[in-house]
Amino acid sequence: MLTPYLVLFLFGCLTGVTTVLFGFGGGFVTVPVVYGLWSVTADSGTEAMHVAVATSTAVMVVNSLFATLTQWRQGRLRREYLWPLAAFVTAGAAAGSFAATRIGDTALRVLFAAYLLVTIADSLLRRGFLSVAQARTPRPLSRPARTLGGVGIGAVAACLGVGGSVMTVPLLRRRGLPMAEATAMANPLSVPVAVVGTTVYALAAPTLHAQGGRLGYVDLLACAALLSGSLPTIALTRRITPRIPDRAHSLAYIALLATVLLALLATGT
């Protein structure tokens, strides 16, 4: 039987793949896994989802920074789409992470599942995500998309521990960017969400500070296990992305979201 930390290591490897290919710094893989492990432990109480979201956010700090450096070196980042969107994402992240500490564990889990379901439906039913015309010139972000959209992305991403990639990727995709570039830019936009969120979660839940291996809601041992798998995998996976056809890349993105949704629902049964 696999130990919990070996399970986390293996899923950390998967997180490294999703970080590079889809811009998921950790959230959509690590939240269901950490939630499932915490929910069956004797000392988990009613905090399993909060610990899962906080731990995912902490892992995202390292994964997103490492992946951002990798994508920058490969020339996939476009400053005109990253700034000033990143500033408004940061502001929203502060509000979202604080709100998450005030939401009940069950409500937070329901919100996470609902967010996944809406995103999957939107990607499948609304035009502009599954395919982008190759001759189409990418359009700049509008002012509302940069300001209100940025705040909304940061708030939802930090509240649910998902880094914002599932909002930024469709947003950039519908502006005409290839899937490889849209997912690449999800990583730097996840960094401010992860840093702000981790700070808030680490300072929250004072009753957990006395427990070994935890800082607020953040499970440091789980973080170490996840990162030991994800960082080497990020370095290896970066060579694969340019070879994936654009439509196959977008379909795989939706398939992963659906898998995560099913896994989250299964852990609650």
Side-chain angles (χ1 to χ4, degrees):
M1 182 177 180
L2 297 178
T3 66
Y5 292 107
L6 179 55
V7 171
L8 290 172
F9 169 79
L10 294 174
F11 275 95
C13 294
L14 178 59
T15 298
V17 175
T18 62
T19 298
V20 176
L21 296 186
F22 306 113
F24 300 163
F28 286 108
V29 175
T30 58
V31 168
V33 174
V34 176
Y35 172 80
L37 292 175
W38 255 76
S39 62
V40 298
T41 59
D43 62 346
S44 62
T46 59
E47 307 290 349
M49 192 64 185
H50 284 83
V51 172
V53 169
T55 302
S56 165
T57 306
V59 169
M60 222 181 308
V61 173
V62 181
N63 280 351
S64 297
L65 281 171
F66 189 30
T68 295
L69 179 60
T70 297
Q71 304 288 13
W72 175 70
R73 286 175 173 172
Q74 293 181 329
R76 292 202 188 103
L77 303 183
R78 297 193 181 195
R79 184 183 181 280
E80 66 270 24
Y81 291 101
L82 296 177
W83 188 262
L85 181 61
F88 291 101
V89 167
T90 303
S97 54
F98 179 78
T101 64
R102 299 294 186 269
I103 299 174
D105 207 64
T106 300
L108 192 60
R109 182 172 173 276
V110 170
L111 287 172
F112 188 91
Y115 177 62
L116 279 171
L117 185 60
V118 169
T119 303
I120 293 168
D122 179 71
S123 298
L124 289 172
L125 300 177
R126 196 153 64 100
R127 295 180 60 186
F129 181 81
L130 286 178
S131 62
V132 172
Q134 292 185 355
R136 181 178 177 181
T137 302
R139 295 177 289 114
L141 292 172
S142 65
R143 185 183 295 272
R146 293 194 305 267
T147 55
L148 297 178
V151 171
I153 289 169
V156 173
C159 183
L160 301 181
V162 295
S165 57
V166 174
M167 297 178 77
T168 57
V169 171
L171 174 65
L172 296 173
R173 183 78 168 147
R174 291 193 171 96
R175 291 302 184 278
L177 270 69
M179 193 68 180
E181 291 188 10
T183 54
M185 284 186 284
N187 286 305
L189 290 172
S190 293
V191 172
V193 173
V195 171
V196 171
T198 300
T199 302
V200 172
Y201 294 132
L203 297 175
T207 58
L208 292 181
H209 280 283
Q211 301 182 27
R214 299 190 185 103
L215 182 61
Y217 282 119
V218 180
D219 187 327
L220 299 176
L221 296 178
C223 283
L226 288 162
L227 289 172
S228 65
S230 66
L231 294 180
T233 312
I234 289 174
L236 293 174
T237 309
R238 64 187 177 87
R239 304 176 184 276
I240 300 175
T241 307
R243 304 174 186 175
I244 303 176
D246 190 75
R247 184 172 178 81
H249 200 167
S250 59
L251 286 170
Y253 184 93
I254 297 172
L256 179 62
L257 294 184
T259 302
V260 172
L261 176 59
L262 292 175
L264 183 66
L265 294 176
T267 59
T269 59

